[in-house]
Amino acid sequence: MTFEKIGGYAAPYIKMLLILIIGHFIIVYLQRIVGRSLRKTKLDPSLIKFTDKAVGIFAHLIVIISALTAIGVSTTGLVATFSAAAVGVSVALKDSL
């Protein structure tokens, strides 16, 4: 195998790793900003922690889906599954909030 063939196969995976690494650092930075701004408010500390974690999880899901798309994986079914799960959770919680 020549280097060009190896580079051709490895390029999408290198792109995926870059998306994951850079995306993670951006998410950590966003979580710090959200955490600082929420701590300045008079919200309950448990709500601040929950919001911080929810932002992190949602952002990581977006980065993972973007990375999978970069290597050519069809993410339509995955997005549909997450959407259906979100609808199910929201319907289950509608009366408790």
Side-chain angles (χ1 to χ4, degrees), residues 3 17 22-23 30 40 43 71 76 82:
F3 182 72
L17 284 174
I22 293 170
L30 284 175
K40 292 179 183 177
L43 292 175
I71 61 171
T76 307
F82 286 140

Side-chain angles (χ1 to χ4, degrees), residues 3-23 63 66-72:
F3 182 72
E4 289 82 21
K5 285 186 179 180
I6 293 173
Y9 292 126
Y13 296 103
I14 293 171
K15 184 179 177 182
M16 178 191 72
L17 284 174
L18 286 173
I19 290 172
L20 288 173
I21 292 169
I22 293 170
V63 168
S66 298
L68 288 174
T69 304
I71 61 171

Side-chain angles (χ1 to χ4, degrees), residues 28-80:
V28 169
Y29 179 71
L30 284 175
Q31 280 185 300
R32 284 185 192 156
I33 292 172
V34 169
R36 284 182 193 154
S37 63
L38 287 176
R39 278 187 219 100
K40 292 179 183 177
T41 64
K42 294 181 180 181
L43 292 175
D44 185 30
S46 61
L47 180 62
I48 293 171
K49 188 174 182 180
F50 172 77
T51 305
D52 188 37
K53 294 283 186 184
V55 166
I57 290 170
F58 182 71
H60 274 99
L61 283 175
I62 291 172
V63 168
I64 290 169
I65 290 171
S66 298
L68 288 174
T69 304
I71 61 171
V73 175
S74 176
T75 56
T76 307
L78 189 62
V79 171

